[in-house]
Amino acid sequence: MPDNTVQVISLPNLAQILPYLLGHYPDDSIALHAPGPNFHDGPTMTCPLPDDSAEWQATAEHAARQFVAYAHDRGHDLAEGVIIYLCREPRPGQSPEETAALLAPVGTWLTNEFMEHRATVLQTIGLVADRWWAYECDIDGCCEGQPLPSPDDPTSVAAQMARLGRAPGPRTRDIIKEFRATADPAFLTDLHTAADQFNSRCATKAGRDATLALTLEQIDAAMSRFRDGATTLSRALTTQLIVGLQDDDAVQAGVAHAEDDDLPHARRLWAYLARHCAEPFTQEAVPILTLFAFVAWRQGDLIAARLALRDAITTDPEYELATGIHLGTIDGEDPRDWLATAREGRAHRAAHLQHAVEVASEYRPTTDTTAVRYREALDAAATHYYDRVRIEDGRILARYGTIDIVNGALADFRDGRPQLTDEIAARIILGLQDLHARDAALSTGEESDLPYERQLWGYLARRCVPPHTGKAPPLLTLLGWVAWRQGDTVTASHAFAEALDISPGYTMAELLLDGIRKQCDPARLLAMYRDAAAEFAAGRPDLDTL
């Protein structure tokens, strides 16, 4: 026998070779192998066995069909033979013999499905508690529960592999410990709070952009700490990273952290985060497991990569990045091609975010200590305002009164006093919820007035703090129109899109955004709005008589 070959000449050898063949021992799984000229040549596949044995038949039949297609794609004829391995550890109170008997029908279902596809089953081996069963053997008491060969036996696979300097692969349960989550009730409570805050911040486009920018900074900070030898992060940063990585753009940026020197640090970081995603947050683990798998793939650790991807895809079969990387590992793609694409995307995304965040700073609601004051002012003004507009005369008074206050505010801004009392600012914000008042406030004046109008609408939009975010669309629409008149279509588009994020179907924002996209001339709209403004002014009643 040549020194670099392994002889598989007996059923005990066949049973013992599995962890060497796959590179790991697949706990609670179906393993399929089609031997090639040197036995180990040829396709292999593993499929986890569900905990519920009622699902085993469907699992077995699906696994057989998948393996037929997989082998066919690689030009392998399964008529030459397939070996089935059924691996499962006894559950508490269950003997190895009972477990092996429970597995027997799985072999039958696999065999029947293979026969439907003209594939030949050579052997079906059960591996339970370091013992083996050969289900094709029909002699009572034969090939039933024999211990695996001792490494002291020079003909055993273990002894042959040891002479070649090869050790058996680890068990699945030991591999997945690196990234499998363990529950910490206190942490999960904090994670739930972080998820709620994340969803609130991402309610608008500007909020999503700002949150993504923060997440990218946090990824960089976490990577820097792990490069310096850290093995943990603060609870706040951990929860924020987990929820922040639910954004696909953040995940793509995470993929870019797979340069050669960063691989061990990135692997530890993603594994650390994945271990914190216990029920009911297994969905949040999906992108993080995918990042872990990509790094493992870059390291050449296909087993850990595929096991992590298995968890990700089982949780979310529609997660495209996980399925794409999984196919890449199967098809022999070069992960460095994925890395190059991720690097380009990260650079483009960073430039876009910087611009978007700068633009949105003009109108994004305030988050500092003044937010409480703005909210209280709107709360106080709302009760009086809504009581007033319940009747028609009250609505007319409020409508024209709002325009009078806006004109006064603009005069203050022109005179260099760009500050309004909280009560006046709240009164304008509420008044502009009336569509007639909003339309009357549309910029129709001279270009010299545009900077002051823009300043006013941005100033008011920043006061639309939660839970009053829904009052921002009129302000954003007015701001966007002024910006468009100034030729700033970037800010205008962002403002209109933000208004639509907050209030889908907000007609004026929708029409103006469509106008920008179709490259319409705002001058034509300006003429129309000037006519409407003149009509509004001409229709002004004698407010003193109302």
Side-chain angles (χ1 to χ4, degrees):
M1 179 181 69
D3 290 342
N4 62 346
T5 63
V6 176
Q7 288 187 324
V8 183
I9 56 176
S10 66
L11 287 174
N13 285 162
L14 193 64
Q16 194 174 39
I17 200 171
L18 182 63
Y20 299 94
L21 184 67
L22 297 177
H24 71 113
Y25 182 88
D27 293 296
D28 298 341
S29 295
I30 296 168
L32 303 169
H33 175 59
N38 295 316
F39 183 80
H40 60 82
D41 300 335
T44 61
M45 189 183 86
T46 61
C47 174
L49 271 173
D51 288 335
D52 186 356
S53 59
E55 301 176 27
W56 287 2
Q57 181 171 359
T59 299
E61 291 171 352
H62 181 65
R65 290 191 295 270
Q66 277 191 313
F67 191 61
V68 168
Y70 176 59
H72 180 267
D73 288 345
R74 279 147 189 77
H76 197 94
D77 184 5
L78 291 185
E80 297 177 4
V82 179
I83 298 171
I84 297 170
Y85 292 93
L86 305 176
C87 309
R88 185 172 172 85
E89 292 306 294
R91 296 313 190 245
Q94 190 179 71
S95 69
E97 289 76 13
E98 290 169 334
T99 303
L102 195 63
L103 289 172
V106 181
T108 302
W109 294 323
L110 284 162
T111 299
N112 291 341
E113 190 67 29
F114 277 127
M115 289 175 63
E116 289 288 328
H117 293 85
R118 298 182 176 84
T120 302
V121 174
L122 300 176
Q123 287 290 340
T124 301
I125 303 292
L127 292 170
V128 180
D130 294 325
R131 294 160 63 181
W132 63 271
W133 279 255
Y135 292 107
E136 263 70 32
C137 181
D138 55 6
I139 302 174
D140 287 343
C142 184
C143 303
E144 295 181 4
Q146 300 297 314
L148 292 171
S150 167
D152 294 334
D153 178 352
T155 65
S156 71
V157 166
Q160 294 181 65
M161 288 294 186
R163 289 196 292 270
L164 295 175
R166 293 180 56 188
R171 300 186 73 102
T172 303
R173 63 191 180 201
D174 294 325
I175 298 172
I176 64 176
K177 285 179 182 176
E178 184 178 6
F179 55 79
R180 187 65 61 82
T182 55
D184 175 349
F187 177 84
L188 294 177
T189 298
D190 288 352
L191 185 54
H192 190 279
T193 301
D196 286 345
Q197 293 172 344
F198 175 81
N199 292 331
S200 176
R201 290 195 302 269
C202 293
T204 65
K205 185 177 186 304
R208 287 195 299 274
D209 286 340
T211 302
L212 175 58
L214 176 62
T215 300
L216 300 189
E217 292 175 3
Q218 291 171 331
I219 291 172
D220 290 342
M223 276 298 304
S224 176
R225 293 177 193 178
F226 271 62
R227 283 190 206 103
D228 292 341
T231 57
T232 62
L233 300 171
S234 69
R235 180 170 291 189
L237 181 55
T238 302
T239 56
Q240 289 168 19
L241 277 172
I242 289 171
V243 297
L245 284 165
Q246 304 315 299
D247 187 314
D248 289 343
D249 285 332
V251 178
Q252 285 290 348
V255 170
H257 282 287
E259 302 289 358
D260 291 350
D261 292 343
D262 268 344
L263 291 175
H265 316 304
R267 179 166 178 155
R268 287 188 295 109
L269 173 60
W270 306 136
Y272 171 80
L273 294 177
R275 289 196 300 272
H276 284 78
C277 297
E279 287 282 2
F281 293 98
T282 51
Q283 181 66 39
E284 279 73 7
V286 171
I288 300 167
L289 289 169
T290 304
L291 288 170
F292 172 88
F294 181 73
V295 171
W297 184 25
R298 281 274 290 121
Q299 292 176 312
D301 187 354
L302 288 176
I303 296 167
R306 287 170 179 163
L307 288 172
L309 290 168
R310 185 181 76 183
D311 280 6
I313 295 170
T314 299
T315 303
D316 185 356
E318 304 300 319
Y319 192 68
E320 293 183 357
L321 184 60
T323 55
I325 290 176
H326 183 245
L327 290 173
T329 66
I330 293 172
D331 294 337
E333 295 181 21
D334 189 337
R336 289 173 297 185
D337 294 339
W338 290 65
L339 178 59
T341 301
R343 279 197 300 256
E344 292 174 7
R346 179 175 62 178
H348 175 76
R349 194 174 300 108
H352 169 78
L353 275 178
Q354 181 178 0
H355 185 80
V357 170
E358 288 172 358
V359 167
S361 65
E362 185 174 357
Y363 54 76
R364 187 185 310 120
T366 300
T367 57
D368 59 19
T369 54
T370 59
V372 175
R373 202 181 81 217
Y374 295 162
R375 183 178 64 250
E376 291 174 347
L378 280 166
D379 287 342
T383 301
H384 174 70
Y385 176 79
Y386 291 126
D387 284 343
R388 185 182 182 190
V389 298
R390 289 180 187 278
I391 59 175
E392 179 64 18
D393 287 353
R395 283 195 293 274
I396 294 173
L397 279 168
R399 186 174 300 155
Y400 283 91
T402 296
I403 298 305
D404 290 341
I405 298 173
V406 166
N407 289 333
L410 283 172
D412 285 344
F413 275 65
R414 288 190 201 96
D415 292 340
R417 299 193 304 275
Q419 293 293 328
L420 306 177
T421 66
D422 293 339
E423 293 75 17
I424 291 296
R427 172 66 182 81
I428 296 175
I429 291 170
L430 292 170
L432 289 173
Q433 305 309 303
D434 180 282
L435 299 185
H436 296 284
R438 179 207 64 192
D439 291 350
L442 281 167
S443 174
T444 58
E446 300 304 319
E447 290 188 4
S448 58
D449 271 342
L450 296 180
Y452 308 115
E453 294 184 33
R454 181 166 174 167
Q455 191 177 9
L456 174 62
W457 306 136
Y459 175 84
L460 294 173
R462 292 193 296 274
R463 287 174 168 262
C464 295
V465 298
H468 298 284
T469 308
K471 297 180 175 64
L475 288 308
L476 294 169
T477 302
L478 294 168
L479 172 63
W481 168 239
V482 172
W484 190 11
R485 281 196 63 192
Q486 291 178 311
D488 182 0
T489 56
V490 173
T491 299
S493 297
H494 276 283
F496 295 143
E498 183 80 2
L500 290 168
D501 268 356
I502 296 171
S503 179
Y506 194 75
T507 306
M508 178 66 79
E510 203 165 35
L511 291 172
L512 293 176
L513 181 58
D514 190 54
I516 290 177
R517 288 170 175 166
K518 292 179 177 177
Q519 298 183 326
C520 295
D521 185 353
R524 295 178 60 187
L525 292 173
L526 178 59
M528 183 174 66
Y529 293 151
R530 279 177 171 160
D531 290 343
E535 185 178 344
F536 179 85
R540 183 186 184 98
D542 183 355
L543 302 184
D544 292 336
T545 65
L546 293 179

